[in-house]
Amino acid sequence: MSSTTITDWKEIQDLYPINEEMIWLNNCGTTPCNVNTIRSVQEYLEGYSRRGGLTDVRRYPTVKHTIRKIIAGLVNCDVEELSLIHHTNEGMNFISMGFQLKSGDEILLLENEYPSNVYPWEHWKEKGVSLGFIPMANTPDEFLENLKRSVTSKTKVVSLSAVHWCTGMPFPLEEIGNFLDEQGIEFVLDGAQGVGLVPIDVRKMKLKYVAFPAWKWLLGPLGLGVLYIREDRLDRLSFPFKGTSSVSNDEVYLPYRGELKTGTDRYEISTVNFIDWVYFQSSLEMLFKIGFHSAMERVYELADYLGEGMKNIGFQLEMDHFPDYKTGIVVGTKEGIPMDELVSYLKKHGVMCALRLGKVRFSPHIYNRKDQLDRVVQLLGSFSG
Ligand SMILES: Cc1ncc(COP(=O)(O)O)c(C=O)c1O
């Protein structure tokens, strides 16, 4: 498998039946399926219907290896440091329940963070560990200052998103990672809005723990996620989750044993949602073939194109606060316009977007077309005058 530079995006646009039905611009929420993936899953299911788990159409070790290899290349880790789980929330619970903190310690989270990176930390409160929130900022530099100001000698863990889900602002992860590493503070990343949208390099960013879902920038299935735990951290985490697939040589059920798998895949726990794996392999292989870098650049191009169109009709954009950082999440507002009514109006006209913190949020992906974005700007114009 090797990456090629794609110049004609029509080939990708044509793979997505959703383009015949509506303009889906909520790709940082969920993403639709393409026809190649439908075919892959169908082939697998046909094989499964004839030969059950013995089918050769897709085999567990190969699918697992392919997914982990592509993700490992994307985030610059070892294959062994990755586990397929179900969502960010599950990964955050695995990590949070694994830490050994003591009363008086503090965990820092992000203001207005998505609940999947908040609720898993709340159990610590009843153990005397406090939760603090780092204030949001308009720019990545300002946020770095906020983070540095929020850290105290009590701070033991910072768990942060890669990109803010309500504003689209990427955080300066390398600077944050280096700072936290120097302070001896554990850095956990919610990669939901980051992996596949912005470059994530766990080594450069000194990341020890990352969890993210498949169904956003990676175009994968709902209910499948990925957990990264750096090799040297694995045995330091307590592991209250032992399951059939957590132990070494897990295809042999008896006698029971205590020895855990040596890699992060000990968090696979038990029988996997293999149809989703087949789906994910298909979307990852497509992105790998396009090249993750090219895909990201295309998303930025579409986001900038939409942003320009919105500005021309008087919208104020979050992304204008951080012009040196690329994003694929376009968040805007216009004075005097009721944003909830605007979002309903767009939906009624076949445009899927979201309302976040009182603003309208669009997130294009590689299969969107520029004429779709022109149409959105036209609708925004006709609603807002
Ligand atoms: C920052 C962030 N984290 C996590 C998620 C998804 O959480 P989960 O993978 O637990 O469904 C989202 C989805 O919108 C998100 O924006």
Side-chain angles (χ1 to χ4, degrees):
M1 249 189 315
S2 67
S3 302
T4 48
T5 307
I6 182 158
T7 48
D8 182 8
W9 291 96
K10 186 170 183 317
E11 200 187 310
I12 303 298
Q13 292 155 1
D14 290 347
L15 293 178
Y16 280 81
I18 200 157
N19 284 338
E20 294 158 28
E21 305 287 329
M22 63 181 96
I23 303 176
W24 189 271
L25 291 174
N26 189 28
N27 292 290
C28 74
T30 61
T31 49
C33 187
N34 71 56
V35 291
N36 288 343
T37 299
I38 296 173
R39 201 168 310 121
S40 291
V41 171
Q42 191 171 351
E43 272 168 20
Y44 167 68
L45 283 174
E46 272 163 16
Y48 191 69
S49 72
R50 291 182 184 281
R51 299 196 26 93
L54 296 179
T55 179
D56 280 330
V57 177
R58 289 285 188 287
R59 303 297 304 162
Y60 166 90
T62 325
V63 176
K64 176 169 170 174
H65 183 71
T66 307
I67 293 174
R68 293 207 298 174
K69 194 158 188 292
I70 293 177
I71 301 279
L74 175 62
V75 303
N76 191 24
C77 70
D78 292 335
V79 163
E80 287 288 308
E81 293 172 312
L82 294 171
S83 181
L84 290 172
I85 54 169
H86 299 96
H87 30 66
T88 315
N89 205 124
E90 185 181 47
M92 288 299 168
N93 268 308
F94 286 152
I95 299 162
S96 175
M97 304 290 280
F99 281 139
Q100 288 140 49
L101 305 179
K102 55 183 192 331
S103 180
D105 289 346
E106 180 190 49
I107 297 165
L108 286 181
L109 307 171
L110 170 66
E111 182 185 23
N112 289 325
E113 177 63 289
Y114 191 81
S116 293
N117 190 21
V118 176
Y119 297 160
W121 301 100
E122 287 183 345
H123 70 98
W124 280 111
K125 288 199 276 190
E126 63 204 48
K127 295 158 195 149
V129 174
S130 58
L131 298 189
F133 288 85
I134 307 166
M136 253 312 283
N138 278 331
T139 69
D141 288 349
E142 239 180 73
F143 181 77
L144 183 60
E145 285 315 305
N146 287 354
L147 181 139
K148 287 183 178 172
R149 261 199 299 273
S150 304
V151 163
T152 68
S153 58
K154 294 192 291 180
T155 311
K156 295 294 178 297
V157 177
V158 171
S159 186
L160 190 69
S161 270
V163 172
H164 202 295
W165 64 297
C166 298
T167 67
M169 187 178 90
F171 294 107
L173 297 179
E174 199 171 330
E175 287 87 341
I176 292 172
N178 280 316
F179 169 75
L180 295 177
D181 198 61
E182 279 161 21
Q183 308 287 317
I185 297 170
E186 295 285 19
F187 185 15
V188 182
L189 189 76
D190 171 343
Q193 296 300 351
V195 179
L197 176 65
V198 294
I200 303 285
D201 182 320
V202 297
R203 301 275 182 256
K204 258 202 215 154
M205 296 168 174
K206 305 233 166 62
L207 287 162
K208 282 85 180 180
Y209 318 86
V210 187
F212 52 95
W215 59 87
K216 296 179 186 288
W217 299 107
L218 299 175
L219 297 170
L222 294 172
L224 183 61
V226 181
L227 176 67
Y228 157 81
I229 297 178
R230 200 169 84 178
E231 185 241 342
D232 64 326
R233 288 302 198 274
L234 198 56
D235 286 327
R236 287 205 217 166
L237 291 178
S238 50
F239 190 75
F241 309 101
K242 188 176 174 189
T244 306
S245 303
S246 305
V247 300
S248 59
N249 199 18
D250 60 321
E251 60 280 10
V252 178
Y253 301 133
L254 295 171
Y256 306 136
R257 67 212 86 118
E259 199 191 326
L260 296 175
K261 281 182 180 161
T262 55
T264 298
D265 60 346
R266 64 179 61 167
Y267 287 91
E268 228 172 71
I269 307 291
S270 196
T271 311
V272 304
N273 40 331
F274 194 63
I275 301 171
D276 296 332
W277 288 28
V278 173
Y279 183 149
F280 198 26
Q281 177 181 358
S282 161
S283 66
L284 284 176
E285 283 180 343
M286 178 185 76
L287 286 166
F288 181 83
K289 201 157 158 251
I290 292 168
F292 284 101
H293 178 75
S294 304
M296 288 177 201
E297 289 291 331
R298 177 63 176 174
V299 171
Y300 306 152
E301 184 189 337
L302 294 172
D304 288 346
Y305 184 83
L306 176 61
E308 276 309 308
M310 289 172 69
K311 276 196 293 186
N312 287 341
I313 54 167
F315 275 76
Q316 287 93 45
L317 302 184
E318 289 293 323
M319 63 205 265
D320 276 351
H321 294 303
F322 44 91
D324 298 337
Y325 284 72
K326 287 290 175 196
T327 188
I329 302 176
V330 185
V331 177
T333 187
K334 186 171 172 181
E335 237 174 73
I337 302 298
M339 285 293 138
D340 50 345
E341 286 176 29
L342 173 65
V343 170
S344 306
Y345 172 81
L346 290 171
K347 279 187 187 158
K348 214 169 72 201
H349 287 83
V351 178
M352 185 59 196
C353 56
L355 181 69
R356 294 288 177 261
L357 296 179
K359 298 180 179 174
V360 60
R361 185 189 75 181
F362 299 102
S363 44
H365 212 311
I366 51 169
Y367 65 85
N368 287 118
R369 304 187 309 259
K370 286 191 176 168
D371 65 277
Q372 293 179 316
L373 306 179
D374 292 337
R375 168 81 180 137
V376 171
V377 173
Q378 189 194 28
L379 285 166
L380 289 172
S382 56
F383 183 84
S384 61

